[in-house]
Amino acid sequence: MERLKSAVPADLRRTVGEGTTRDLPSTTSLLLTFLDGLPLFHQVISELTDPELALCRKDKGRTVELKGQGNACFSRREFQQALSFYSQALRYVPISSDGTDEILLATLYVNRASTMHKLGLLEECLRDCDRAISVSPNYAKAWYRRGMINASLKNYSSAMHDLEVALSMEATSSGKSNIEQELKLILLKHRNVNQAVIARMQGCHIQIILKSCRETHCHYCFSEAPADAVFCPLCTVPVYCSKKCQEQAVGGISLNHDTFIKSNSNGIDLGKLSLTSTKRKAPDSKQIAEHRHECGGAHWAAILPADIVLAGRIMAQYIDRRMLAGKNSTISGPNLDLIHHYDIDSPTNKLESHIYAIVLSLCLQKYYRSDLSWKEETLSQLVLLICQVKVNSIAIVRMKSMDEGQGRTENKGYSAAGDAVMCSVEQVRVAQAVYMSGSLLNHSCRPNVHTYFHSRTLFVRSTEYIESGRPVELSYGPQAGKMDLPERQKSLQENYKFSCRCSSCSELHLSDLVIDSFRCPRSTCVGAVSELTYSRSKENFMHVSLQESVVCKLSLPHISNVDEDTKKVGKLFFRNDLDLKIDPGYCMSCRSQLDLASAVATSDRAASKINRFKELTVIDKVSEVSVTDALQSLEQIKKLRHPYSKALAQAEDMIAEAFAKIGDQGQAEKHCEDSIKILKKLYHPKHIAIVHELIKLVSIKLSMGDMASAEATFAQAEAIFSLYYGPDALRILPYIDVLKRTVSGQIFEAP
């Protein structure tokens, strides 16, 4: 794509870059005419649509080769490698219309099941056996393997049934003898076992999984893919966590936008925004896969940016809806009621949107062939659609535990200091989607709602009381306490084309004064020293500038409404000085000057040494010298950075994690608590960022055997989780239940 962009002549670039929305019909036409005469352009279209060049098509020869490699690994008892080969073989196995490949598919499922049985993955193994039986009901080995797994799970009634079916199908005398022997053993252990199955139905949405998660997460519900992942029957790219998700994705085309607000008496649950998935059949009675138009050549998601693939899926869905409704006439494009910023976009972005729109248009035309005719304004609509997706798409995130996974917590509990691991969580971006109703919510750097996801459903939950008439505001990413004022404004301007005027960006707040600030050189002063310039414009307003570029204008609260910390940090702001100006490097309370360049350099070097110390703990190469150096570096940061600065909080956190890793839980506890104290100043005591640090502190206290303190700390964390996730906390964060039972003494370390 970069070569295509560079091939466009300067005058055409200028015409596109200077154009507005009204000029789109002519600019898209001019660019299409130019590209049509460019061999490179036709090569790109061919790579994306030519089945002969398809890298994601099924391949029986490749399947058999991978199966053989898996068999060899299994024979050598290299079960993890065998599992990988069998999974790759399942990715490539074709499904022929005459059923000739069914036995190959069933064999692969049974082989992978046998491998997972060896690895102790019993539930995953059982699912693969079910898949093999559904594909080939007369396959004796599938029934036998499922019987053996049910026996391992103590489902003795089911095990006997499966083995009896296998016995009736087995053709060899040695095979029959083996099954009969297993049946006798199970008869000795037979017990009645009650089972409960819980099923949950979830909706779907126009989405694209991110490249970094294509191999590790389900392409439908975005959960982590299990060992027994299933694959798309049409191509080799998508991975699904279950047969259900595979069927939803292959057959899922959303026809209804179901948006509703669900309130309770406390005014806490705001609502759930989702698209309802309705399984539909195309006119030829074949199920429609949401990515089917991308599989004709080189897979789109591997080449094109996520937002471009997303725009292509929206366009394809629009076409499919028209075809299902019998409207096979001319195609223009979906009329989404979403904002775009094309007219104020940069010339480079405009040219890029034009090129991608032309590429999408021609690829879709090749896929749908002569079934449809296309209007002249289709290209214009596609350009605007790409711009709408860029502005309105939402990142779908998952909360991930970083303490070696949930399995460790459930199976092993929290051990003594020598084998301790600090429990921590982080948000992982897994997908990108467009939620029509979610796009209606405005941004605030201090949001009053929290968003989270389960499968493809977006949940919105208030985190504070919202009075009637006040806007419901979420964060588009930047938040006070997480980013400083200039960084927030820059991010929102670049990505969403607006200057934020929320309460955090229009009023003076403690977090923005201290987040990236330095300590006053006077030891008795707690004022902050900033790299920004503050100058009073009127009696109650301050202009904030960075390197002579105005960032925003802040109103000054009345002194009676200012907390003590803010008064001490920025004492000069609350004096009756109409000509007040605080330059970079000068204290906001006493005007003492700091050598800012030297302070920045020294602080950065110290932070780098602490980060290196943390890395050494990971590879177990910690010495007394490195511990001493890390603590000395922390002292340097404390002498230079403001006590409430983000840099100091991060340094304390890294030191805490490093000491937890090497088993010094006393030091880990101290530095973790110090980090939490700073974060409470930057955010507020019940912010979700605080709870992640509280979870770390709980795990440290558990490792020290301080159960009472761990339980009290967990109670603080649980209250915050409840505020942000409500009754969904355990579903979104399953390790919380395990941690709760651990601190209450219901789970003990395994011997």
Side-chain angles (χ1 to χ4, degrees), residues 341-354:
H341 300 297
Y342 178 82
D343 287 342
I344 59 175
D345 215 345
S346 69
T348 300
N349 287 344
K350 287 180 179 178
L351 177 63
E352 188 177 85
S353 298
H354 274 63

Side-chain angles (χ1 to χ4, degrees), residues 109 113 125-134 142 145-146 149:
Y109 277 133
C125 177
L126 193 63
R127 291 196 292 265
D128 261 4
C129 291
D130 290 341
R131 292 161 188 155
I133 291 170
S134 68
R145 180 54 52 193
R146 193 170 78 169
I149 294 300

Side-chain angles (χ1 to χ4, degrees), residues 256-325:
N256 298 307
H257 187 191
D258 177 21
T259 305
F260 59 92
I261 298 295
K262 179 181 179 183
S263 303
N264 64 18
S265 58
N266 296 321
I268 295 296
D269 290 324
L270 285 182
K272 179 173 68 174
L273 310 177
S274 68
L275 279 183
T276 302
S277 172
T278 306
K279 284 190 180 181
R280 300 298 293 263
K281 300 283 186 176
D284 61 357
S285 296
K286 293 181 180 178
Q287 286 186 310
I288 297 175
E290 58 189 357
H291 64 281
R292 72 210 175 286
H293 56 280
E294 302 165 12
C295 302
H299 196 69
W300 293 16
I303 296 175
L304 303 175
D307 47 11
I308 304 303
V309 179
L310 202 54
R313 290 189 177 185
I314 294 173
M315 188 68 177
Q317 185 192 71
Y318 161 78
I319 296 170
D320 289 331
R321 286 177 175 174
R322 291 183 63 86
M323 294 180 68
L324 287 170

Side-chain angles (χ1 to χ4, degrees), residues 209 213-219 222-225 239 398 430:
I209 196 160
C213 298
R214 283 192 313 183
E215 297 294 324
T216 58
H217 287 71
C218 175
H219 287 221
F222 312 123
S223 300
E224 285 194 52
V239 177
R398 288 282 180 268
V430 296

Side-chain angles (χ1 to χ4, degrees), residues 480-724:
K482 180 181 179 181
M483 297 180 180
D484 65 13
L485 188 54
E487 190 179 2
R488 298 201 306 269
Q489 292 289 340
K490 180 182 178 183
S491 174
L492 292 168
Q493 186 62 50
E494 289 180 350
N495 294 299
Y496 302 100
K497 311 301 180 188
F498 73 88
S499 296
C500 184
R501 295 299 298 160
C502 71
S503 61
S504 262
C505 296
S506 57
E507 300 172 7
L508 189 72
H509 287 281
L510 174 66
S511 62
D512 283 323
L513 294 180
V514 300
I515 185 169
D516 283 330
S517 65
F518 290 83
R519 179 188 286 272
C520 176
R522 284 180 56 200
S523 59
T524 57
C525 178
V526 294
V529 179
S530 174
E531 296 180 77
L532 302 175
T533 300
Y534 293 86
S535 55
R536 193 190 297 269
S537 58
K538 295 180 181 178
E539 184 175 351
N540 291 316
F541 288 95
M542 297 293 298
H543 278 295
V544 183
S545 305
L546 177 63
Q547 297 176 350
E548 300 183 356
S549 176
V550 176
V551 174
C552 64
K553 184 172 71 173
L554 301 177
S555 63
L556 292 174
H558 191 271
I559 188 68
S560 61
N561 298 323
V562 179
D563 61 83
E564 289 302 316
D565 281 325
T566 306
K567 290 178 185 177
K568 294 176 181 178
V569 166
K571 192 180 298 183
L572 294 176
F573 291 114
F574 307 104
R575 293 181 179 176
N576 295 323
D577 185 354
L578 296 181
D579 297 322
L580 175 67
K581 183 179 181 183
I582 305 174
D583 289 313
Y586 287 86
C587 176
M588 300 176 189
S589 280
C590 69
R591 287 191 181 277
S592 297
Q593 186 178 10
L594 176 71
D595 184 347
L596 204 53
S598 175
V600 169
T602 305
S603 174
D604 288 348
R605 284 195 300 270
S608 179
K609 289 182 180 180
I610 292 175
N611 188 56
R612 176 58 180 161
F613 173 60
K614 182 182 173 183
E615 292 173 352
L616 288 174
T617 64
V618 174
I619 58 177
D620 294 323
K621 289 190 176 180
V622 176
S623 65
E624 289 186 14
V625 174
S626 59
V627 172
T628 302
D629 285 347
L631 292 175
Q632 288 176 348
S633 296
L634 179 62
E635 287 304 313
Q636 278 188 312
I637 292 176
K638 285 183 175 181
K639 290 178 181 178
L640 292 170
R641 287 288 185 173
H642 194 274
Y644 302 157
S645 68
K646 184 178 178 180
L648 181 55
Q650 290 174 332
E652 295 279 13
D653 182 55
M654 283 193 288
I655 290 286
E657 289 189 19
F659 276 119
K661 178 67 178 176
I662 62 177
D664 190 339
Q665 304 305 317
Q667 285 277 19
E669 180 186 39
K670 173 185 178 299
H671 293 290
C672 188
E673 289 175 341
D674 288 344
S675 175
I676 291 172
K677 289 176 184 177
I678 300 171
L679 292 179
K680 287 181 177 180
K681 299 292 185 181
L682 292 175
Y683 295 98
H684 57 78
K686 292 186 177 181
H687 194 278
I688 191 66
I690 308 296
V691 79
H692 300 154
E693 299 305 308
L694 288 172
I695 291 299
K696 294 179 183 179
L697 186 58
V698 169
S699 65
I700 293 170
K701 290 180 180 294
L702 284 172
S703 298
M704 298 174 68
D706 188 353
M707 301 301 290
S709 184
E711 190 169 7
T713 304
F714 180 79
Q716 298 177 46
E718 189 176 29
I720 300 174
F721 278 131
S722 179
L723 176 63
Y724 280 81

